[in-house]
Amino acid sequence: MTKYLIIGKNGQLGTEFVRQLTKNNFDFVAFDHHQLDVSDTYKIVELIEQIKPEIVINTSAYNQVDLAEKNYNLAYKTNGLGVNNLVFACKKYNSLIIHYSTDYVFDGKKDLGLYEENDLVNPLNEYGKSKYLGETFLDNYSNSLLFRTSWVFGEGLQNFIYKFLQWTKNNNTLKVSFNEISIPTSTKTIVDLTFRAIDSGLNGKFHLTNSGCCSRYEYAKYILKISNLSNIIEPVDIASFNLPAKRPGFSAMSNQKLSKELNYLIPEWSDVVKDYLSS
Ligand SMILES: NC(=O)c1ccc[n+]([C@@H]2O[C@H](COP(=O)([O-])OP(=O)(O)OC[C@H]3O[C@@H](n4cnc5c(N)ncnc54)[C@H](OP(=O)(O)O)[C@@H]3O)[C@@H](O)[C@H]2O)c1
């Protein structure tokens, strides 16, 4: 039986992996941040030696986009050095490394169409740069799968749906940006497609998102509609928030490469958001 190691088990994606691996009686070990810091080279090597996993799924990340402008050290240690540690430790056993990156590696200036895997990256903020650094370490390791994803939501408090629904409780009118466009992606879709990719023996870099795309404003309006809420949403320019980290305006990524490889039609973002809000 294949042995899995899950890193970052208490995050949104880690939680969904643990749920699915448990449900399907897989052989796995999972660690949270406290038990295993991905930037701790010695500990990573020691644990990989001990567990000898065939598949390592790294769901850990420093994801605080605005705080990363100040705490860039922590972002680079987790999102960059952490991946290098995994490559270093996994080489000996040729374990498959599965890692996740972000649409924030792009600058949003693409003229036509959704971002594809080989489009030029040009991250605008420290978070995006640290995630891109992690990607480059995986380039040196062929037994790996790199999935770029966007606007992830699942069980947990670090996602737009949760935060937005909290805001609706105290504010009748809410300002949401109209000029941030990407693709809400559910952890259920990510886990499902990751297992399909493992079963198909895929290697390399793929965009893993739900299908379709929307602005943050359209996303918020849809959440209100499905939740039967009557708050008012005012579309505003993201620049009006004066956020510390710059964000790409348009960072929607095409999932066509993955969809074709897996011969599978990836669900629309609106359908998975509806399922999530109805469950
Ligand atoms: N969330 C998004 O919208 C989004 C968008 C694009 C890409 N992604 C990528 O998708 C992946 C999964 O994201 P997610 O939403 O599941 O993230 P998440 O909910 O923020 O979970 C990340 C987990 O990593 C842990 N962690 C942080 N630093 C660590 C370290 N040094 N060592 C070990 N664990 C550490 C965190 O623990 P603590 O909380 O205890 O620190 C947390 O449990 C990440 O690679 C992320 O960059 C996410």
Side-chain angles (χ1 to χ4, degrees):
M1 198 185 230
T2 306
K3 187 156 203 174
Y4 288 79
L5 168 62
I6 308 294
I7 302 174
K9 75 168 183 180
N10 288 343
Q12 299 192 85
L13 188 54
T15 301
E16 189 58 32
F17 267 111
V18 169
R19 190 199 320 277
Q20 292 303 331
L21 290 163
T22 307
K23 191 170 139 196
N24 295 303
N25 279 321
F26 278 54
D27 184 11
F28 75 98
V29 186
F31 295 110
D32 64 20
H33 188 174
H34 172 70
Q35 295 163 316
L36 174 61
D37 182 336
V38 77
S39 66
D40 183 341
T41 313
Y42 179 80
K43 186 85 185 200
I44 291 275
V45 171
E46 184 188 56
L47 281 174
I48 299 281
E49 292 270 338
Q50 209 177 303
I51 299 163
K52 298 182 183 57
E54 275 119 314
I55 301 181
V56 175
I57 302 184
N58 180 30
T59 68
S60 76
Y62 182 87
N63 265 338
Q64 306 280 344
V65 178
D66 288 310
L67 283 177
E69 293 299 296
K70 231 177 24 190
N71 298 337
Y72 49 86
N73 252 330
L74 201 51
Y76 284 87
K77 268 171 80 175
T78 308
N79 301 337
L81 174 67
V83 183
N84 196 32
N85 285 340
L86 289 177
V87 171
F88 178 67
C90 287
K91 261 186 182 149
K92 187 166 171 188
Y93 301 102
N94 197 31
S95 314
L96 170 66
I97 301 177
I98 301 179
H99 177 68
Y100 300 87
S101 187
T102 170
D103 53 336
Y104 283 9
V105 296
F106 296 115
D107 62 13
K109 299 200 171 80
K110 182 162 175 161
D111 282 339
L112 209 60
L114 306 192
Y115 276 102
E116 289 175 10
E117 282 76 356
N118 289 328
D119 281 338
L120 204 68
V121 302
N122 181 29
L124 300 176
N125 55 45
E126 297 297 337
Y127 166 73
K129 288 178 193 166
S130 69
K131 292 296 289 183
Y132 179 58
L133 180 65
E135 291 192 5
T136 62
F137 289 128
L138 272 192
D139 288 344
N140 304 324
Y141 190 66
S142 59
N143 198 15
S144 64
L145 265 168
L146 171 71
F147 292 121
R148 289 193 188 123
T149 186
S150 60
W151 292 6
V152 176
F153 67 91
E155 195 178 301
L157 317 181
Q158 271 307 322
N159 63 67
F160 181 72
I161 300 181
Y162 176 82
K163 289 181 193 164
F164 178 71
L165 287 174
Q166 290 300 110
W167 297 331
T168 61
K169 291 180 185 164
N170 303 316
N171 303 282
N172 189 38
T173 304
L174 297 134
K175 292 183 194 303
V176 182
S177 58
F178 61 80
N179 51 353
E180 257 188 299
I181 297 167
S182 192
I183 310 172
T185 300
S186 106
T187 53
K188 282 196 180 6
T189 298
I190 300 177
V191 171
D192 176 37
L193 293 179
T194 300
F195 283 128
R196 286 173 190 267
I198 295 171
D199 290 346
S200 305
L202 296 191
N203 264 197
K205 177 167 53 185
F206 296 91
H207 290 169
L208 193 176
T209 64
N210 280 110
S211 296
C213 68
C214 61
S215 68
R216 191 78 77 177
Y217 170 70
E218 289 163 333
Y219 189 15
K221 291 242 305 191
Y222 186 72
I223 296 167
L224 282 190
K225 184 176 142 202
I226 301 299
S227 310
N228 283 320
L229 292 169
S230 53
N231 303 59
I232 294 157
I233 311 185
E234 193 186 317
V236 296
D237 189 327
I238 187 168
S240 66
F241 294 121
N242 276 320
L243 296 168
K246 273 196 203 144
R247 283 143 166 94
F250 177 92
S251 55
M253 302 180 293
S254 166
N255 59 21
Q256 280 310 296
K257 180 181 169 197
L258 186 59
S259 175
K260 276 188 194 134
E261 286 280 357
L262 298 176
N263 192 20
Y264 176 72
L265 206 58
I266 301 175
E268 289 284 321
W269 70 266
S270 49
D271 291 334
V272 291
V273 168
K274 195 187 212 169
D275 286 350
Y276 176 80
L277 287 169
S278 325
S279 62

